Amino acid sequence: GVTPVVILSYDSEVPPWAERLRRKNPFHSWWWIREGEVEVKWSGGAVSLRAGDWIFFPHGFWRSHRFRPATRLVSASFELAWPDGRPVLALE
């Protein structure tokens, strides 16, 4: 079977140092925008998210993001791998 392993959970205002980043995380992440706005870009497109919107990032997904100051975010990051260690969802 496959059991998710929580890496990080977050429910707060995005700190200034994290408002603009380019990342490739070695785990899956789900964001829900509580207040504010974020623009997310990746090789296949871009999206602007506002309060009430959510997005899912699979393992190893390159993205850049730009949060507006004072944006509040709920984030859950987790590993989800097959017994041999391969991620369950590995997409571009």
Side-chain angles (χ1 to χ4, degrees):
V2 177
T3 302
V5 176
V6 176
I7 303 297
L8 171 73
S9 61
Y10 184 83
D11 182 2
S12 190
E13 187 172 304
V14 177
W17 64 265
E19 288 177 355
R20 295 181 75 151
L21 293 175
R22 185 171 191 283
R23 304 203 56 101
K24 179 181 179 179
N25 291 330
F27 42 76
H28 304 292
S29 292
W30 172 84
W31 290 355
W32 178 64
I33 310 305
R34 189 180 286 279
E35 297 174 18
E37 187 174 349
V38 62
E39 182 177 346
V40 180
K41 295 181 180 181
W42 65 94
S43 64
V47 65
S48 289
L49 304 169
R50 293 181 173 83
D53 292 337
W54 64 270
I55 193 167
F56 176 79
F57 303 107
H59 166 93
F61 186 83
W62 273 107
R63 70 173 192 273
S64 61
H65 64 253
R66 183 173 47 191
F67 285 94
R68 285 202 171 178
T71 294
R72 295 185 59 83
L73 172 70
V74 175
S75 174
S77 297
F78 54 94
E79 290 179 350
L80 188 61
W82 297 112
D84 68 1
R86 290 177 301 122
V88 168
L89 194 59
L91 305 170
E92 289 297 315

Coordinates of all heavy atoms in Angstrom, one line a residue:
G1 N 0.8 -1.2 0.0 CA 0.0 0.0 0.0 C 0.9 1.2 0.0 O 2.1 1.2 0.1
V2 N 0.2 2.3 -0.2 CA 0.8 3.6 -0.2 C 0.3 4.5 0.9 O -0.9 4.6 1.1 CB 0.6 4.3 -1.6 CG1 1.2 5.7 -1.6 CG2 1.1 3.5 -2.7
T3 N 1.2 5.1 1.8 CA 0.8 5.9 2.9 C 1.5 7.2 2.8 O 2.7 7.3 2.7 CB 1.1 5.2 4.2 OG1 0.5 3.9 4.3 CG2 0.7 6.1 5.4
P4 N 0.7 8.3 2.7 CA 1.4 9.7 2.7 C 2.1 9.9 4.0 O 1.7 9.5 5.1 CB 0.2 10.6 2.5 CG -1.0 9.9 2.7 CD -0.7 8.4 2.8
V5 N 3.3 10.6 3.8 CA 4.1 11.0 5.0 C 4.1 12.5 4.9 O 4.7 13.1 4.0 CB 5.5 10.4 4.9 CG1 6.4 11.0 6.0 CG2 5.5 8.9 4.8
V6 N 3.6 13.2 6.0 CA 3.6 14.6 6.0 C 5.0 15.2 6.2 O 5.7 14.7 7.1 CB 2.7 15.1 7.2 CG1 2.7 16.6 7.3 CG2 1.2 14.7 7.0
I7 N 5.3 16.1 5.4 CA 6.6 16.8 5.4 C 6.5 18.2 6.1 O 7.3 18.5 7.0 CB 7.2 17.1 4.0 CG1 7.3 15.7 3.2 CG2 8.5 17.8 4.1 CD1 8.3 14.8 3.9
L8 N 5.4 18.9 5.7 CA 5.2 20.2 6.3 C 3.8 20.6 6.1 O 3.1 20.3 5.1 CB 6.1 21.2 5.4 CG 5.9 22.7 5.6 CD1 6.5 23.1 6.9 CD2 6.5 23.5 4.5
S9 N 3.2 21.2 7.1 CA 1.9 21.8 7.0 C 2.0 23.3 7.5 O 2.8 23.6 8.4 CB 0.9 21.0 7.8 OG 1.2 21.0 9.2
Y10 N 1.2 24.1 6.9 CA 1.4 25.6 7.1 C 0.1 26.2 7.0 O -0.7 25.9 6.1 CB 2.4 26.1 6.0 CG 2.8 27.5 6.1 CD1 3.8 27.9 6.9 CD2 2.1 28.4 5.3 CE1 4.2 29.2 7.0 CE2 2.5 29.8 5.3 CZ 3.6 30.2 6.2 OH 4.0 31.5 6.2
D11 N -0.2 27.2 7.9 CA -1.5 27.9 7.8 C -1.2 29.3 8.4 O -1.3 29.5 9.6 CB -2.6 27.3 8.6 CG -3.9 28.0 8.5 OD1 -4.0 29.1 7.8 OD2 -4.9 27.6 9.1
S12 N -0.7 30.2 7.5 CA -0.2 31.5 8.0 C 0.0 32.5 6.9 O -0.1 32.1 5.7 CB 1.1 31.4 8.8 OG 1.4 32.5 9.5
E13 N 0.4 33.7 7.2 CA 0.8 34.6 6.2 C 2.2 34.2 5.6 O 3.0 33.7 6.3 CB 0.9 36.0 6.8 CG 1.2 37.1 5.8 CD 1.1 38.5 6.5 OE1 0.1 38.8 7.1 OE2 2.1 39.2 6.4
V14 N 2.3 34.4 4.3 CA 3.5 34.0 3.6 C 4.6 35.0 4.0 O 4.4 36.2 3.9 CB 3.3 34.0 2.1 CG1 4.7 33.7 1.4 CG2 2.3 33.0 1.7
P15 N 5.7 34.6 4.5 CA 6.8 35.5 5.0 C 7.4 36.2 3.8 O 7.5 35.6 2.7 CB 7.8 34.6 5.7 CG 7.6 33.3 5.2 CD 6.1 33.2 4.8
P16 N 7.9 37.4 3.9 CA 8.5 38.2 2.8 C 9.6 37.4 2.1 O 9.6 37.5 0.8 CB 9.0 39.5 3.5 CG 8.2 39.6 4.7 CD 7.9 38.2 5.2
W17 N 10.4 36.7 2.7 CA 11.5 35.9 2.0 C 11.0 34.9 1.1 O 11.7 34.4 0.2 CB 12.5 35.3 3.0 CG 11.9 34.3 3.9 CD1 11.4 34.4 5.1 CD2 11.7 32.9 3.6 NE1 10.9 33.2 5.6 CE2 11.1 32.2 4.7 CE3 12.0 32.1 2.4 CZ2 10.8 30.9 4.7 CZ3 11.7 30.7 2.5 CH2 11.1 30.1 3.6
A18 N 9.7 34.4 1.3 CA 9.1 33.4 0.4 C 8.1 33.9 -0.6 O 7.5 33.1 -1.3 CB 8.4 32.3 1.3
E19 N 8.0 35.2 -0.7 CA 7.0 35.7 -1.6 C 7.3 35.5 -3.1 O 6.5 35.4 -3.9 CB 6.8 37.2 -1.4 CG 6.0 37.5 -0.1 CD 5.8 39.0 0.2 OE1 6.4 39.8 -0.5 OE2 5.1 39.3 1.2
R20 N 8.6 35.5 -3.4 CA 9.1 35.2 -4.8 C 10.1 34.2 -4.8 O 11.3 34.4 -4.3 CB 9.6 36.5 -5.4 CG 8.6 37.6 -5.5 CD 9.2 38.8 -6.1 NE 9.4 38.6 -7.6 CZ 9.4 39.5 -8.5 NH1 9.3 40.7 -8.2 NH2 9.5 39.2 -9.8
L21 N 9.8 33.0 -5.3 CA 10.8 31.9 -5.3 C 10.6 31.1 -6.6 O 9.5 31.1 -7.2 CB 10.6 30.9 -4.2 CG 10.8 31.5 -2.8 CD1 10.5 30.4 -1.7 CD2 12.3 31.8 -2.6
R22 N 11.7 30.4 -7.0 CA 11.6 29.4 -8.0 C 12.0 28.1 -7.4 O 13.1 28.0 -6.7 CB 12.6 29.7 -9.2 CG 12.5 28.8 -10.3 CD 13.3 29.3 -11.5 NE 13.1 28.5 -12.7 CZ 13.5 27.3 -13.0 NH1 14.3 26.7 -12.2 NH2 13.3 26.7 -14.1
R23 N 11.2 27.1 -7.4 CA 11.4 25.8 -6.6 C 11.1 24.6 -7.4 O 10.3 24.6 -8.3 CB 10.5 25.8 -5.4 CG 10.7 27.1 -4.6 CD 10.2 26.9 -3.2 NE 10.9 25.8 -2.5 CZ 11.9 25.9 -1.7 NH1 12.3 27.1 -1.4 NH2 12.4 24.9 -1.0
K24 N 11.7 23.5 -6.9 CA 11.4 22.1 -7.4 C 11.5 21.3 -6.1 O 12.6 20.9 -5.6 CB 12.4 21.6 -8.4 CG 12.2 20.2 -8.8 CD 13.2 19.8 -9.8 CE 13.0 18.3 -10.3 NZ 14.0 17.9 -11.2
N25 N 10.4 21.0 -5.5 CA 10.4 20.3 -4.2 C 10.3 18.8 -4.5 O 9.7 18.3 -5.4 CB 9.1 20.7 -3.4 CG 9.2 22.1 -2.9 OD1 10.3 22.6 -2.7 ND2 8.1 22.8 -2.7
P26 N 11.0 18.0 -3.6 CA 11.1 16.6 -3.7 C 9.9 15.9 -3.0 O 10.0 14.8 -2.5 CB 12.4 16.2 -3.0 CG 12.5 17.3 -2.0 CD 11.9 18.5 -2.6
F27 N 8.7 16.6 -3.0 CA 7.5 16.1 -2.4 C 6.3 16.7 -3.1 O 6.5 17.7 -3.9 CB 7.5 16.3 -0.9 CG 8.0 17.7 -0.5 CD1 7.1 18.8 -0.7 CD2 9.2 17.8 0.0 CE1 7.6 20.1 -0.3 CE2 9.7 19.1 0.4 CZ 8.8 20.2 0.3
H28 N 5.1 16.2 -2.8 CA 3.9 16.8 -3.3 C 3.5 17.9 -2.4 O 3.7 17.9 -1.2 CB 2.8 15.8 -3.4 CG 3.1 14.5 -4.1 ND1 3.2 14.5 -5.5 CD2 3.3 13.3 -3.7 CE1 3.5 13.2 -5.9 NE2 3.5 12.5 -4.8
S29 N 2.8 18.9 -3.0 CA 2.3 20.0 -2.2 C 0.9 20.4 -2.7 O 0.6 20.4 -3.9 CB 3.2 21.3 -2.3 OG 4.4 21.0 -1.6
W30 N 0.0 20.8 -1.7 CA -1.3 21.4 -2.0 C -1.4 22.7 -1.3 O -1.0 22.8 -0.1 CB -2.3 20.4 -1.5 CG -3.7 20.9 -1.5 CD1 -4.6 20.8 -2.6 CD2 -4.5 21.5 -0.5 NE1 -5.8 21.4 -2.3 CE2 -5.7 21.8 -1.0 CE3 -4.1 21.9 0.9 CZ2 -6.7 22.5 -0.2 CZ3 -5.1 22.5 1.6 CH2 -6.4 22.8 1.1
W31 N -1.9 23.7 -2.0 CA -2.1 25.0 -1.4 C -3.5 25.4 -1.6 O -4.2 25.2 -2.6 CB -1.3 26.1 -2.2 CG 0.2 26.1 -2.1 CD1 1.0 25.3 -1.3 CD2 1.1 26.9 -2.8 NE1 2.3 25.6 -1.5 CE2 2.4 26.6 -2.4 CE3 0.9 27.9 -3.8 CZ2 3.5 27.3 -3.0 CZ3 2.0 28.6 -4.3 CH2 3.3 28.3 -3.9
W32 N -4.0 26.1 -0.5 CA -5.3 26.8 -0.6 C -5.1 28.2 -0.2 O -4.5 28.5 0.9 CB -6.3 26.1 0.4 CG -7.6 26.8 0.4 CD1 -8.5 26.9 -0.6 CD2 -8.2 27.4 1.5 NE1 -9.6 27.6 -0.2 CE2 -9.5 27.9 1.1 CE3 -7.8 27.7 2.8 CZ2 -10.3 28.6 2.0 CZ3 -8.6 28.4 3.7 CH2 -9.9 28.8 3.2
I33 N -5.5 29.1 -1.0 CA -5.3 30.6 -0.7 C -6.4 31.0 0.2 O -7.6 31.1 -0.2 CB -5.2 31.4 -2.0 CG1 -4.3 30.8 -3.1 CG2 -4.9 32.8 -1.7 CD1 -2.9 30.5 -2.6
R34 N -6.0 31.4 1.4 CA -7.0 31.9 2.4 C -7.3 33.3 2.2 O -8.5 33.7 2.2 CB -6.4 31.7 3.8 CG -7.4 31.9 4.9 CD -6.8 31.7 6.3 NE -6.5 30.3 6.6 CZ -7.5 29.5 7.1 NH1 -8.7 29.9 7.2 NH2 -7.2 28.2 7.4
E35 N -6.3 34.2 1.9 CA -6.5 35.6 1.7 C -5.4 36.0 0.7 O -4.3 35.5 0.8 CB -6.4 36.4 2.9 CG -7.4 36.2 4.0 CD -7.1 37.0 5.3 OE1 -6.3 37.9 5.2 OE2 -7.6 36.6 6.3
G36 N -5.6 37.0 -0.2 CA -4.6 37.5 -1.0 C -4.6 36.9 -2.4 O -5.6 36.4 -2.9
E37 N -3.4 36.8 -3.0 CA -3.2 36.4 -4.4 C -1.8 35.9 -4.6 O -0.9 36.4 -4.0 CB -3.5 37.5 -5.3 CG -3.6 37.2 -6.7 CD -4.1 38.3 -7.6 OE1 -4.5 39.4 -7.1 OE2 -3.9 38.2 -8.8
V38 N -1.7 34.9 -5.5 CA -0.4 34.4 -5.9 C -0.4 34.1 -7.4 O -1.5 33.7 -8.0 CB 0.0 33.1 -5.2 CG1 -0.9 32.0 -5.4 CG2 1.5 32.7 -5.5
E39 N 0.7 34.4 -8.1 CA 0.8 34.0 -9.5 C 1.8 32.9 -9.6 O 2.9 33.0 -9.0 CB 1.3 35.1 -10.4 CG 1.4 34.8 -11.8 CD 1.8 35.9 -12.7 OE1 1.8 37.1 -12.3 OE2 2.2 35.7 -13.9
V40 N 1.4 31.7 -10.2 CA 2.3 30.6 -10.3 C 2.6 30.3 -11.8 O 1.7 30.4 -12.6 CB 1.6 29.3 -9.7 CG1 2.6 28.1 -9.8 CG2 1.3 29.6 -8.2
K41 N 3.9 30.1 -12.1 CA 4.3 29.9 -13.5 C 5.0 28.5 -13.5 O 5.7 28.2 -12.6 CB 5.2 31.0 -14.0 CG 4.5 32.3 -14.2 CD 5.4 33.3 -14.7 CE 4.7 34.7 -14.8 NZ 5.5 35.7 -15.4
W42 N 4.9 27.8 -14.6 CA 5.6 26.6 -14.9 C 5.8 26.4 -16.4 O 5.3 27.3 -17.1 CB 4.9 25.4 -14.2 CG 3.6 25.1 -14.8 CD1 3.3 24.2 -15.8 CD2 2.3 25.6 -14.5 NE1 2.0 24.2 -16.1 CE2 1.3 25.1 -15.3 CE3 1.9 26.6 -13.6 CZ2 0.0 25.4 -15.2 CZ3 0.6 26.9 -13.5 CH2 -0.4 26.3 -14.3
S43 N 6.5 25.5 -16.8 CA 6.9 25.3 -18.2 C 5.6 25.2 -19.1 O 5.7 25.6 -20.3 CB 7.8 24.1 -18.5 OG 7.1 22.9 -18.1
G44 N 4.5 24.7 -18.6 CA 3.3 24.5 -19.4 C 2.3 25.6 -19.3 O 1.2 25.6 -19.9
G45 N 2.6 26.7 -18.5 CA 1.6 27.7 -18.3 C 1.7 28.6 -17.1 O 2.8 28.6 -16.5
A46 N 0.7 29.2 -16.7 CA 0.6 30.1 -15.6 C -0.8 30.2 -15.1 O -1.7 30.0 -15.9 CB 1.2 31.5 -15.9
V47 N -0.9 30.6 -13.8 CA -2.3 30.8 -13.3 C -2.2 31.8 -12.1 O -1.1 31.9 -11.4 CB -2.9 29.5 -12.7 CG1 -2.1 28.9 -11.6 CG2 -4.3 29.6 -12.4
S48 N -3.2 32.6 -12.0 CA -3.3 33.5 -10.9 C -4.4 33.0 -9.9 O -5.5 32.6 -10.4 CB -3.7 34.9 -11.3 OG -2.7 35.6 -12.0
L49 N -4.1 32.8 -8.7 CA -5.0 32.3 -7.7 C -5.3 33.3 -6.7 O -4.5 34.1 -6.2 CB -4.3 31.1 -7.0 CG -3.8 30.0 -7.9 CD1 -3.0 29.0 -7.1 CD2 -5.0 29.3 -8.5
R50 N -6.6 33.3 -6.3 CA -7.1 34.3 -5.3 C -7.7 33.5 -4.1 O -7.9 32.3 -4.2 CB -8.1 35.2 -6.0 CG -7.5 36.1 -7.0 CD -8.6 37.0 -7.6 NE -8.0 38.0 -8.5 CZ -7.7 37.8 -9.7 NH1 -7.9 36.6 -10.3 NH2 -7.1 38.8 -10.4
A51 N -8.2 34.2 -3.1 CA -8.8 33.6 -2.0 C -9.9 32.6 -2.4 O -10.7 32.9 -3.2 CB -9.4 34.7 -1.1
G52 N -9.8 31.4 -1.8 CA -10.7 30.3 -2.1 C -10.2 29.4 -3.2 O -10.7 28.3 -3.3
D53 N -9.2 29.8 -3.9 CA -8.6 28.9 -5.0 C -7.6 27.9 -4.3 O -7.0 28.2 -3.3 CB -7.9 29.7 -6.1 CG -8.8 30.5 -6.9 OD1 -10.0 30.2 -7.0 OD2 -8.4 31.5 -7.5
W54 N -7.4 26.8 -5.0 CA -6.3 25.9 -4.6 C -5.6 25.3 -5.8 O -6.0 25.5 -6.9 CB -7.0 24.7 -3.8 CG -7.9 23.9 -4.5 CD1 -9.3 24.0 -4.7 CD2 -7.6 22.7 -5.3 NE1 -9.8 23.1 -5.4 CE2 -8.8 22.2 -5.8 CE3 -6.4 22.0 -5.5 CZ2 -8.9 21.1 -6.6 CZ3 -6.5 20.8 -6.3 CH2 -7.7 20.4 -6.8
I55 N -4.4 24.8 -5.5 CA -3.5 24.2 -6.5 C -2.8 23.0 -5.9 O -2.5 23.0 -4.7 CB -2.6 25.3 -7.1 CG1 -1.9 24.7 -8.4 CG2 -1.6 25.7 -6.1 CD1 -1.2 25.8 -9.2
F56 N -2.5 22.1 -6.8 CA -1.7 20.9 -6.4 C -0.4 20.8 -7.2 O -0.5 21.0 -8.4 CB -2.5 19.6 -6.6 CG -1.7 18.4 -6.3 CD1 -1.6 17.9 -5.0 CD2 -1.2 17.6 -7.3 CE1 -0.9 16.8 -4.7 CE2 -0.5 16.4 -7.0 CZ -0.3 16.0 -5.7
F57 N 0.7 20.6 -6.5 CA 2.0 20.5 -7.2 C 2.5 19.0 -7.0 O 2.8 18.6 -5.9 CB 3.1 21.4 -6.6 CG 2.7 22.9 -6.7 CD1 2.3 23.5 -5.5 CD2 2.7 23.6 -7.9 CE1 1.9 24.9 -5.5 CE2 2.3 24.9 -7.9 CZ 1.9 25.5 -6.8
P58 N 2.7 18.3 -8.1 CA 3.3 16.9 -7.9 C 4.8 17.0 -7.6 O 5.4 18.0 -7.7 CB 3.0 16.3 -9.2 CG 2.9 17.4 -10.2 CD 2.4 18.6 -9.4
H59 N 5.3 15.9 -7.1 CA 6.7 15.7 -6.8 C 7.6 16.1 -8.0 O 7.3 15.8 -9.1 CB 6.9 14.2 -6.6 CG 8.3 13.7 -6.5 ND1 9.0 13.7 -5.4 CD2 9.1 13.4 -7.5 CE1 10.2 13.3 -5.7 NE2 10.3 13.1 -7.0
G60 N 8.6 16.9 -7.6 CA 9.6 17.3 -8.6 C 9.1 18.3 -9.7 O 9.7 18.4 -10.7
F61 N 8.1 19.1 -9.4 CA 7.5 20.0 -10.3 C 8.2 21.4 -10.2 O 8.2 22.0 -9.1 CB 6.0 20.1 -9.9 CG 5.2 21.0 -10.9 CD1 4.7 20.4 -12.0 CD2 4.9 22.3 -10.6 CE1 3.9 21.2 -12.9 CE2 4.1 23.0 -11.4 CZ 3.6 22.5 -12.6
W62 N 8.9 21.8 -11.3 CA 9.5 23.1 -11.3 C 8.4 24.2 -11.4 O 7.6 24.1 -12.3 CB 10.5 23.3 -12.5 CG 11.8 22.8 -12.2 CD1 12.4 21.7 -12.7 CD2 12.8 23.4 -11.4 NE1 13.7 21.5 -12.2 CE2 14.0 22.6 -11.4 CE3 12.8 24.6 -10.6 CZ2 15.1 22.9 -10.7 CZ3 14.0 24.9 -9.9 CH2 15.1 24.1 -10.0
R63 N 8.5 25.2 -10.6 CA 7.6 26.3 -10.6 C 8.2 27.6 -10.1 O 9.2 27.5 -9.4 CB 6.3 26.0 -9.8 CG 6.6 26.1 -8.3 CD 5.4 26.0 -7.4 NE 5.7 26.3 -6.1 CZ 6.1 25.4 -5.2 NH1 6.3 24.1 -5.5 NH2 6.3 25.8 -3.9
S64 N 7.7 28.7 -10.5 CA 8.0 30.0 -9.8 C 6.7 30.6 -9.3 O 5.7 30.3 -9.9 CB 8.8 30.9 -10.8 OG 8.0 31.2 -11.9
H65 N 6.8 31.3 -8.2 CA 5.6 31.9 -7.7 C 5.9 33.3 -7.2 O 7.0 33.6 -6.8 CB 5.0 31.0 -6.6 CG 5.8 30.9 -5.4 ND1 6.4 29.7 -5.0 CD2 6.1 31.8 -4.4 CE1 7.1 29.9 -3.9 NE2 6.9 31.1 -3.5
R66 N 4.8 34.1 -7.2 CA 4.9 35.5 -6.7 C 3.7 35.8 -5.9 O 2.6 35.9 -6.5 CB 5.1 36.5 -7.8 CG 5.3 37.9 -7.3 CD 5.7 38.9 -8.4 NE 4.8 38.7 -9.5 CZ 5.0 39.2 -10.7 NH1 6.1 40.0 -10.9 NH2 4.1 39.1 -11.7
F67 N 3.8 35.8 -4.6 CA 2.7 36.1 -3.7 C 2.6 37.6 -3.5 O 3.6 38.3 -3.4 CB 2.9 35.5 -2.3 CG 2.7 34.1 -2.3 CD1 3.7 33.2 -2.4 CD2 1.4 33.5 -2.0 CE1 3.5 31.8 -2.3 CE2 1.2 32.2 -2.0 CZ 2.3 31.3 -2.1
R68 N 1.4 38.1 -3.5 CA 1.2 39.5 -3.0 C 1.5 39.6 -1.5 O 1.2 38.6 -0.8 CB -0.3 40.0 -3.3 CG -0.5 40.2 -4.7 CD -1.7 41.1 -4.9 NE -1.8 41.5 -6.3 CZ -2.7 42.3 -6.8 NH1 -3.6 42.7 -6.0 NH2 -2.7 42.6 -8.0
P69 N 2.0 40.7 -1.1 CA 2.3 40.8 0.4 C 1.0 40.6 1.2 O -0.1 40.9 0.8 CB 2.8 42.3 0.5 CG 3.4 42.6 -0.8 CD 2.5 41.9 -1.8
A70 N 1.2 40.0 2.3 CA 0.1 39.7 3.3 C -0.8 38.6 2.8 O -1.9 38.4 3.4 CB -0.7 41.0 3.7
T71 N -0.4 37.8 1.8 CA -1.3 36.7 1.4 C -1.2 35.6 2.5 O -0.1 35.3 3.0 CB -0.8 36.1 0.1 OG1 -1.0 37.1 -0.9 CG2 -1.5 34.8 -0.3
R72 N -2.3 35.0 2.8 CA -2.4 33.9 3.8 C -2.6 32.6 3.0 O -3.5 32.5 2.2 CB -3.5 34.1 4.8 CG -3.2 35.4 5.7 CD -4.2 35.5 6.8 NE -4.3 34.4 7.7 CZ -3.5 34.2 8.7 NH1 -2.5 35.0 9.0 NH2 -3.6 33.1 9.5
L73 N -1.9 31.6 3.4 CA -1.8 30.3 2.7 C -2.0 29.2 3.6 O -1.4 29.1 4.7 CB -0.5 30.2 2.0 CG -0.1 29.0 1.3 CD1 -0.9 28.8 0.1 CD2 1.4 29.0 0.9
V74 N -2.8 28.2 3.2 CA -2.8 26.9 3.8 C -2.0 25.9 2.9 O -2.3 25.9 1.7 CB -4.2 26.3 4.1 CG1 -4.2 24.9 4.6 CG2 -5.0 27.3 5.0
S75 N -1.0 25.3 3.4 CA -0.2 24.4 2.6 C 0.0 23.1 3.3 O 0.2 23.0 4.5 CB 1.2 25.1 2.3 OG 2.0 24.2 1.6
A76 N -0.1 22.0 2.5 CA 0.2 20.7 3.0 C 1.2 20.0 2.0 O 0.9 19.9 0.9 CB -1.0 19.8 3.1
S77 N 2.4 19.7 2.5 CA 3.4 19.0 1.7 C 3.6 17.6 2.2 O 3.7 17.4 3.5 CB 4.7 19.8 1.7 OG 4.5 21.1 1.1
F78 N 3.7 16.7 1.3 CA 3.8 15.3 1.8 C 4.5 14.4 0.7 O 4.6 14.7 -0.5 CB 2.4 14.7 2.0 CG 1.5 14.9 0.9 CD1 1.3 13.8 0.0 CD2 0.8 16.1 0.7 CE1 0.4 14.0 -1.1 CE2 -0.1 16.2 -0.4 CZ -0.3 15.2 -1.3
E79 N 5.1 13.3 1.2 CA 5.7 12.3 0.3 C 4.6 11.3 0.1 O 3.8 10.9 1.0 CB 6.9 11.6 1.0 CG 8.1 12.5 1.1 CD 9.2 11.8 1.7 OE1 9.1 10.7 2.3 OE2 10.3 12.4 1.7
L80 N 4.5 10.7 -1.1 CA 3.6 9.7 -1.4 C 4.3 8.8 -2.5 O 4.4 9.2 -3.6 CB 2.3 10.3 -2.0 CG 1.1 9.3 -2.2 CD1 0.7 8.6 -0.9 CD2 -0.1 10.0 -2.9
A81 N 4.8 7.7 -2.0 CA 5.6 6.9 -2.9 C 5.2 5.4 -2.9 O 4.7 4.9 -1.9 CB 7.1 7.0 -2.4
W82 N 5.5 4.8 -4.0 CA 5.3 3.3 -4.1 C 6.3 2.6 -3.2 O 7.3 3.2 -2.8 CB 5.4 2.8 -5.5 CG 4.4 3.4 -6.5 CD1 4.7 4.3 -7.5 CD2 3.0 3.2 -6.5 NE1 3.5 4.7 -8.1 CE2 2.5 4.0 -7.5 CE3 2.2 2.4 -5.8 CZ2 1.1 4.0 -7.8 CZ3 0.8 2.4 -6.1 CH2 0.3 3.2 -7.1
P83 N 6.1 1.4 -2.8 CA 7.0 0.7 -2.0 C 8.5 0.7 -2.4 O 9.4 0.6 -1.6 CB 6.5 -0.8 -1.9 CG 5.0 -0.6 -2.1 CD 4.9 0.6 -3.1
D84 N 8.7 0.8 -3.8 CA 10.1 0.8 -4.3 C 10.7 2.2 -4.2 O 11.8 2.5 -4.7 CB 10.1 0.3 -5.7 CG 9.4 1.1 -6.7 OD1 8.9 2.2 -6.4 OD2 9.4 0.7 -7.9
G85 N 9.9 3.2 -3.7 CA 10.4 4.6 -3.5 C 10.1 5.6 -4.6 O 10.3 6.8 -4.5
R86 N 9.5 5.1 -5.8 CA 9.1 6.0 -6.8 C 7.9 6.8 -6.4 O 7.0 6.3 -5.8 CB 8.7 5.2 -8.1 CG 9.9 4.6 -8.8 CD 9.4 3.8 -10.0 NE 8.5 2.7 -9.6 CZ 7.3 2.6 -10.1 NH1 6.8 3.4 -11.0 NH2 6.5 1.6 -9.6
P87 N 7.8 8.1 -6.7 CA 6.7 8.9 -6.3 C 5.4 8.4 -7.1 O 5.5 8.0 -8.2 CB 7.0 10.3 -6.8 CG 8.2 10.2 -7.7 CD 8.8 8.9 -7.4
V88 N 4.3 8.4 -6.4 CA 3.0 8.0 -7.0 C 2.6 8.9 -8.1 O 2.2 8.4 -9.1 CB 1.9 8.0 -5.9 CG1 0.5 7.8 -6.5 CG2 2.2 6.9 -4.9
L89 N 2.9 10.2 -8.0 CA 2.5 11.1 -9.1 C 3.8 11.9 -9.5 O 4.2 12.7 -8.7 CB 1.4 12.0 -8.6 CG 0.7 12.8 -9.6 CD1 0.0 11.9 -10.7 CD2 -0.4 13.7 -8.9
A90 N 4.3 11.6 -10.6 CA 5.5 12.4 -11.1 C 5.1 12.9 -12.5 O 5.1 12.2 -13.5 CB 6.7 11.5 -11.2
L91 N 4.8 14.2 -12.6 CA 4.4 14.8 -13.8 C 5.2 16.0 -14.1 O 5.8 16.6 -13.3 CB 2.9 15.3 -13.7 CG 1.9 14.2 -13.3 CD1 0.6 15.0 -13.0 CD2 1.7 13.2 -14.4
E92 N 5.2 16.4 -15.4 CA 5.9 17.7 -15.8 C 4.9 18.8 -15.5 O 3.7 18.7 -15.6 CB 6.3 17.6 -17.3 CG 7.4 16.7 -17.5 CD 8.7 17.1 -16.8 OE1 9.0 18.3 -16.8 OE2 9.3 16.2 -16.2

